[in-house]
Every structure is written in structure tokens, then in C-alpha cells.
Amino acid sequence: MLALTVVPAATLTFWTFVGLATIACLFMAWSLGANSNSPPFAPAIGANAVSTLRAAFLIGILAAAGAVTQGGSISETVGAELIRGAMITPLAATTGLLVAATFMSFGVYSGYPVPAAFATTGAMVGVGLSLGGDPAFGTYRRIVTFWVLVPPSSGGIAFLTAKLLRRDDIPETVGVPVLAAVVAGILANIRLGVIPHPARSQGSVAELVSHALGSPTVLGVDPSVVGATAAFAGLGFQFIRRKVVASVERGIRSFLLVLGGIVAFSSGGSQVGLATGPLEALYGTELGLPSVVLLVIGASGILAGAWMGAPRLLQATSREYAQLGVRRSIAALVPGFVIAQAAIALGIPISFNNIIISGVIGGGLAAGSAGVSRRKIGVTVLFWVLTLVTSIGIGFGLYRLLSSLLGTS
């Protein structure tokens, strides 16, 4: 005779909301994979360096890898630093993620990229205020300052880089390899979860070398970090220079593909926190699970979204904003990589659409404005502002409605 186990109603309700919150996290991660992780390869597609379907496949793999190895810092900011005095409950996390993911899905199917950071940050602030928490104005100032600086920084660097690459007195066998050296030098210093560090959860290759050599310093500078950075830069320079010397066009396209891959990896690291951050308290505090479990869930959703939904947005961003050549495309991706890694290091949630589109516009303007759609740019900026404002209000109101209907917080 079978013995029936009676599950307490409170326990059943808790696990129901855990399941709903996890599904909402996967939905949001899917939307990110289809939307915000796509732009890094848009310049490469616009330059005919890679096909749309092949780009979508690579984006999924690389963004998922970046999500697992670099996603922790921004996830913590979104989950714990946007609201003071209130812990995000499972219902609040589910509500915030549904609001943000709905904005993202609308962007995918309308063809207008919706900034994930704006939608998620606004929605989580809205539900946090609805929970009775206090605004974290210091965090808001830090985030908004970074957001405001992104367009002029990304667009300005892309503009100057594109101008330099077009100069006749700078041979492409020198200019392109120098850019590759800069990117490779930064790669030596990006933090990854798979590299141990004595003081934090993520370390860099340069820090690993320094630690192995006893962390020596000369006049406050660690020569081993400088040496590792220089070694990476030298390898990057030689790798791309050999290809450019053999064939300028093929060499430049090779660099463009490498850049797209690196930026896609960085986008996974910066974007996954927008999906997993609202569940930080639930998985870490209440379930007692390590953060990597949550990051793997987010990475799975990003992988699926990139493979299933990225092609449509890739077409929109690569074909409609500007018809770029390979040189201006490189100029658009270099600042994207730098800004994304800075945001990850600082724990700032960012919009990859904002970064890449600003870079695309800056690179396009380097050769005049003929290839840039001013109407498209204006509508996109309006979408960004409306997304931030309305997501706060909808998150606040929807949580109030659901908590009243369900009789739970």
C-alpha cells in the first residue's frame, strides 16, 4: 500500500514560484541571446565577412562561454544593489524578468533593438519600490553616468579609428596589426572565472603570471603584468600582420571575425547578469546554491536565443543602420570590446545595442553620413528612453497587481 506524502501549502507555493522565476530567467536569457548578444557580429555581416546563420551559431557558443566565465559581477549589481531595505522575492523576480523579457521580445520582432540593461534595470527598480524598498541613488548615479558616456565614447573612438584606418600615410600592414596588439593586450588583463585569484573569484592571465612569480613590484608597477601584457600584444600583432601582409583584404576580414568573436564573448559576460541578477537572492540565500549554477542556466538561455532568434536582428542592425566596409566595421567593434570589459570590471549593467550601434554610427560618419539612417537612429533613441521610463512603471504596477491577486509577496 502506497503512503501518500502531504506537501505543506507554503512549501508548494515556494517551489511553484521558484519554478516560475527560473522559467522567467530562461525566457529573459533567450531574449538576450536573440537581441543584445547579436550586434557584435552585425558589422562582420554588413562587411560580408561571415554569413548570418554562421554568425548566429558562433554568437551562441561564444556568448554562453562568456556568460559562465564573466557574468558574476553584473548579476550581483542587478540582484542586490538597485534597491535598499528589501530583498527580491520569487514573485518580484518573476515579475521583473517578465516585464524586461517582454520589452526584449518586442524589440526582436519589431526590428528595433531594445536596450536590455534599460528594460531590466527599470523593471527591477519598479518591483523593488513596489516591495517597499528605498531607491539606491548612489548606484543609479554610477550606472546612469556610465550609460551617458557610452554613446560619445563608443562613437568617438570608432570615428577616430575609422579615420586613422583610412589615412593613406599609415599602411594597413601597420595600422591593423597595431589595433590587434591593443586588443590582445587587453585580453591578457580581462578577468575570467576559470582563472584563480587569491583575493576574488576571477583573475586574469597577467595576474596569474604575476602571482606565479611572487607578485614583484618596481616603483609601484608589477613588471610581470606589464611583460605578460606586452607578450600578448606582440603575439596579436604578429598573427594579424602575417595575414595582412599575405593579403590585405583577407587579413582585415580575419581580424574582423576575431574581433566579432571576442566582443560576442564579452557580451555574454555583460548581459547574462540581466537575466540571472533578479534570482541572486533566491538561488544564493534561500536555496544555498553556488552562483555558477545560476550562470549556467542563463548561459543555456542565451545559447538557445542566439541560435533561434538572432538572425532577424542581425539583418536589421547590419543592413539598415549603415552599409559599412571592413575598416569601419573594425572601428565599430574595438570600442565595443573595451567598453564592455570596463563595464564588467565595474559591475555596471550595460546595453550592447547602445555600444555597438554608437560604434556603427561613429564608424559610418567617418566617411560621411550617407550610409546612416537618421530616422532609424532617432526612433531607436526614443525607444531607449521610453523603455527605461515605462519599465519602471509597469514593473511597479504589475507586481502590485499580482501580489494582490495571489495574496503573496
Side-chain angles (χ1 to χ4, degrees), residues 219-277:
L219 300 176
V221 177
D222 189 335
S224 53
V225 169
V226 176
T229 302
F232 262 64
L235 289 172
F237 182 91
Q238 287 297 330
F239 177 74
I240 294 300
R241 180 174 167 79
R242 279 201 300 269
K243 290 184 173 296
V244 175
V245 168
S247 169
V248 171
E249 289 302 319
R250 285 201 296 272
I252 292 175
R253 288 175 189 273
S254 296
F255 182 45
L256 187 59
L257 283 175
V258 172
L259 263 181
I262 293 172
V263 179
F265 178 87
S266 303
S267 75
S270 66
Q271 300 297 286
V272 71
L274 302 177
T276 60

Side-chain angles (χ1 to χ4, degrees), residues 2 11 13 15 33 37 52 70 110 138 162 186 221 238 244 285 330-331 371:
L2 295 174
T11 301
T13 301
W15 285 107
N37 294 117
T52 301
Q70 286 202 297
S110 68
I186 296 173
V221 177
Q238 287 297 330
V244 175
T285 304
I330 289 173

Side-chain angles (χ1 to χ4, degrees), residues 15 18 31 44 79 109 113 116 125 132 159 161 204 219 246 298 306 316-317 340-341 359 363 366 379 404:
W15 285 107
V18 170
S31 301
Y109 289 104
V125 169
F159 179 84
T161 304
S204 68
L219 300 176
T317 53
Q341 288 300 327
V379 172
S404 298

Side-chain angles (χ1 to χ4, degrees), residues 141-151 339 342-343 346 348 350:
R141 280 194 294 271
R142 191 162 55 93
I143 291 174
V144 171
T145 300
F146 197 96
W147 287 353
V148 170
L149 291 176
V150 164
I339 293 172
L346 295 172
I348 302 287
I350 55 169

Side-chain angles (χ1 to χ4, degrees), residues 38-67:
S38 302
F41 266 90
I45 295 173
N48 296 319
V50 65
S51 70
T52 301
L53 292 180
R54 179 171 294 182
F57 176 79
L58 293 173
I59 288 168
I61 298 292
L62 294 168

Side-chain angles (χ1 to χ4, degrees), residues 270-327:
S270 66
Q271 300 297 286
V272 71
L274 302 177
T276 60
L279 273 64
E280 280 279 332
L282 175 62
Y283 272 67
T285 304
E286 300 196 38
L287 299 181
L289 295 173
S291 59
V292 70
V293 173
L294 197 52
L295 293 177
V296 169
I297 293 174
S300 301
I302 285 176
L303 180 69
W307 287 356
M308 296 167 65
R312 177 181 173 82
L313 198 68
L314 282 168
Q315 289 290 340
T317 53
S318 64
R319 308 296 184 195
E320 296 179 16
Y321 280 88
Q323 296 297 321
L324 298 179
V326 288
R327 292 157 185 80

